[in-house]
Structure formats: structure tokens, C-alpha cells
Amino acid sequence: MASITLNNLWNFIQSMSLSANNELWLAEKLHESALKKQQANKAYNIAEEKTIIVSEPLFGPASIEEAISRVQDAEKEYTLNGRGTTLNEFTAELKDEQLW
């Protein structure tokens, strides 16, 4: 079958003299096929989500452990000093680290 557009396919199907039973049969077959493809796609996406590739980060921590460590350090600093980092201080720190 040569390349065919969906509109051409639909026009072809409509031009056929199908009984109501035949149209229902065709609809069921197409629906079953679509569900199988959808389920296969979901299974593929779930399997893909489980595969995590960690490369050099462009911004932020390289791992969950590093992120947790940074948050814990910030909490300790806040507890000791009684103040958090302002937006300007945070921006200056990022510029010093040359992350952007």
C-alpha cells in the first residue's frame, strides 16, 4: 500500500458499501488495535522512566543525595544564624559559581 493520507483512507472506507455490522466489526478491530498500541506505548514509557541517565548537570545538584545535603546545609545555616539567604545573595552566589 503506497503512502496514503488519513483523509484519503477515510474517503475510501466511506465509499465502500459496508453494512452496519461490517462497520461495527471494522470499528471494533481498529479500537482493539489502537488499545494494544496505546498499552504498548504506556509500557514503553514506564520502562523508559525507570532508566535514569545522569550526566554532568547544567545547573543544580548532580544527585538526590547532593540536593538533600544542600538543603540540610541551608537549614543548619538558618538555624545557626537565624536568617536565610536573600534573592540577591542567592543570585550573587550563582554568578560566583558561574552556573549561568
Side-chain angles (χ1 to χ4, degrees):
M1 190 161 133
S3 98
I4 186 168
T5 66
L6 289 177
N7 284 335
N8 288 342
L9 179 61
W10 180 241
N11 290 336
F12 174 73
I13 291 171
Q14 286 180 320
S15 71
M16 298 171 68
S17 297
L18 296 176
S19 67
N21 287 339
N22 288 341
E23 285 186 14
L24 286 173
W25 176 87
L26 179 59
E28 288 173 4
K29 292 296 181 182
L30 288 170
H31 188 252
E32 288 172 10
S33 175
L35 286 177
K36 287 178 185 176
K37 288 178 182 178
Q38 190 177 42
Q39 289 170 350
N41 192 27
K42 284 181 184 178
Y44 174 78
N45 288 340
I46 290 170
E48 191 175 87
E49 287 175 8
K50 291 180 182 178
T51 305
I52 299 173
I53 300 170
V54 178
S55 62
E56 186 65 30
L58 296 176
F59 177 79
S63 66
I64 296 292
E65 292 78 18
E66 184 181 345
I68 292 170
S69 174
R70 285 186 182 188
V71 170
Q72 289 172 340
D73 290 345
E75 288 173 343
K76 286 179 191 173
E77 183 179 338
Y78 179 78
T79 303
L80 293 174
N81 299 334
R83 75 187 253 314
T85 303
T86 66
L87 179 60
N88 291 336
E89 291 170 339
F90 179 71
T91 304
E93 187 177 321
L94 288 177
K95 286 181 181 177
D96 289 344
E97 292 179 12
Q98 299 179 345
L99 295 175
W100 57 340

